[in-house]
Amino acid sequence: MDRLAAAGINTEAALQRGQLDVKNNTEAYLRDGQFNQDRMLEAFEKMASGHVEGGFPLSRIVCRMDWASEDQSRIENVIEFESRVNNIWRCHDDAVICTYHLGKFGGNAVIDILRTHPMVIIGGLLQHNPFFAPSEEFLREYRERRARNRGSSVPAV
């Protein structure tokens, strides 16, 4: 809120008009302590352009995703969600940015997260992501890989 105000945005007025809505991770993603992909997909569909109360034609959504790094099963669930949610956003003109503190995620998770986003900001520049895989392709490969990894035994060190 301080950053928005410093940029000249009257946050109080925007909140009152319904033009700005700020939620923490518990309110947005972990309402019952669990991350539920289907619930979040429904929530994002409601936030998509033309659906928000107040008649605002476009939504600009910024999602900070660091909370997912706390639990491996949560990371896997979020990676699937990130791929699935593209099916909603490709039907709307909204601007959606997912931010990740990459130091909190392992290399494999970072690569998978990267593959779920059609556009990326690297070095401060927005660009098409050459590593992006459409949802159907990515989810098939990702789920097969996870099933193989669960089935293999890793020797104790």
Side-chain angles (χ1 to χ4, degrees), residues 48-63:
S49 56
H51 296 216
V52 178
E53 289 181 26
F56 302 107
L58 295 175
S59 295
R60 289 167 185 82
I61 300 168
V62 178
C63 307

